[in-house]
Amino acid sequence: MTASTTAAGPAAAWSRYLHCLAEADEYAAVEVATRLLDDGLSAERVLLDLVAPAQAEVGDRWARNEWSVAQEHAATHISERVVAAVAAYAGSRPTRGRIVVACMDGEWHALPPRLIAEVLRLRGWQVTFLGASVPAAHLVSYLHRHDAHAVALACALPMRLPQAHRMIEACRRSDVPVVVGGRGFGADGRWARRLGVAWAPDAPSAADLVADERALRRTPPAELSHLADDEYASLVKRRGELVDSALADLRERTPATREYTPAQVDSTVSDLGYVVDFLAAALYVDDGTLFTEFVDWLVDILASRGVPAPAVGLTLTHYAESLRDFPRAARFLDAGRKVVAAR
């Protein structure tokens, strides 16, 4: 088989693989992947050029309200089975030290770090994959029992950055270097730099970084002096109060919300909480773009579900009135309202 034919493999198979995910056909999906392996494509390329972009499309279809949560979960489960089949086909044996791979506490998007774990395994590392939502104390306990060359931590949502920083510092106190990745640290890794931790944009970069221990340990200090103003800590303490008052305000201003079903109320409460959580994360790293990017995304998500953008603006206005004594939060909320107004 020629190199050009092999390179075209994942692209040609992508639509077939997505169809398998859409139809929840696990066996056919595994067959698409293993056929590429039989044709000579490396296991790493199958993972990164077929499974990873397909999973990104699954997330996009959920965001566009084209797929339900159940369909998204089914597709993710199938991709996890495909990853396991590819790993079994490759049959890699460790020749290097141990790398521990885990999701941040509260982070449930486990497939992307699983792909990183398998790429590291394919490159000879002994990999321990701890999966989704690993509490910091449990991770540290594991590191105390098992020597690790490095820890790779994944974060898909920026609102988890405060928890991420605590996990990073816990690993460092155990003298284990850390590399992080995922959309939660920003597309360019800017929030990883703010937290003073090594960042990798993709699995191959993570593999290259953990292989260079000097580069892995050569990170600048965290830049978090702004936390001295106590806005972040105070906002976190007031989370429940803010969500309750925002829900009451929404019912007052938008009578239709009074007729919501229990499921709709739960969804609304979750959205109101996310606004506070993303605002808190923006305060933690002192970057308003974290919050405005979330607002822009939230408006799109809610619009696909029939919720108009002004509803988001009402919530941001309510939070701004409630947080008049929080200068940085007020500035970020005002920027968020401008994003909504421009839609």
Side-chain angles (χ1 to χ4, degrees), residues 16-21 24-35 46 50-51 75 78-79 81-82 85-86:
R16 296 198 302 276
Y17 185 74
L18 269 177
H19 178 74
C20 296
L21 297 184
D25 192 337
E26 175 184 326
Y27 301 100
V30 170
E31 184 179 356
V32 170
T34 54
R35 185 170 296 173
V46 172
L50 177 72
V51 180
I78 290 170
S79 285
R81 296 286 291 170
V82 169
V86 171

Side-chain angles (χ1 to χ4, degrees), residues 182-271:
R183 294 181 181 180
F185 292 99
D188 58 357
R190 60 188 182 276
W191 300 317
R193 290 190 291 274
R194 181 59 58 90
L195 298 181
V197 64
W199 171 78
D202 50 40
S205 299
D208 292 341
L209 187 55
V210 297
D212 186 348
E213 187 171 0
R214 292 180 63 184
L216 192 58
R217 292 183 179 274
R218 190 173 60 246
T219 56
E223 302 172 15
L224 300 172
S225 59
H226 51 272
L227 292 177
D229 66 12
D230 210 36
E231 282 199 33
Y232 165 76
S234 298
L235 179 65
V236 171
K237 289 178 183 177
R238 292 183 57 184
R239 184 185 189 276
E241 165 205 332
L242 288 166
V243 171
D244 288 345
S245 65
L247 181 61
D249 181 73
L250 199 59
R251 284 173 166 165
E252 179 67 26
R253 295 173 183 259
T254 312
T257 60
R258 301 172 196 167
E259 308 302 321
Y260 274 7
T261 65
Q264 288 175 310
V265 172
D266 287 345
S267 180
T268 301
V269 169
S270 293
D271 291 338

Side-chain angles (χ1 to χ4, degrees), residues 23 41 49 59 65 75-76 121 158 173 181 189 196 214 246 298 328 333:
E23 295 299 316
L41 198 67
D49 296 344
N65 206 28
T76 300
R121 203 187 311 276
R173 286 193 292 272
R214 292 180 63 184
L298 181 64
R328 287 197 294 131
L333 285 162

Side-chain angles (χ1 to χ4, degrees), residues 67-89:
W67 281 14
S68 68
V69 171
Q71 287 175 294
E72 183 270 333
H73 284 185
T76 300
H77 167 74
I78 290 170
S79 285
E80 288 172 344
R81 296 286 291 170
V82 169
V83 171
V86 171
Y89 186 104

Side-chain angles (χ1 to χ4, degrees), residues 99-153:
I99 307 291
V100 176
V101 181
C103 291
M104 305 297 177
D105 192 3
E107 175 61 69
W108 296 97
H109 295 80
L111 184 56
R114 172 74 187 280
L115 291 171
I116 291 172
E118 295 308 328
V119 169
L120 290 169
R121 203 187 311 276
L122 289 167
R123 297 198 180 191
W125 293 98
Q126 180 180 351
V127 178
T128 300
F129 180 59
L130 299 183
S133 191
V134 180
H138 293 201
L139 174 59
V140 170
S141 176
Y142 187 87
L143 295 177
H144 286 165
R145 294 180 59 189
H146 302 276
D147 289 336
H149 173 80
V151 172
L153 297 176

Side-chain angles (χ1 to χ4, degrees), residues 286-301:
D286 196 31
D287 188 345
T289 64
L290 187 157
F291 185 68
T292 54
E293 288 174 7
F294 160 72
V295 170
D296 197 41
W297 174 86
L298 181 64
V299 169
D300 283 340
I301 292 292

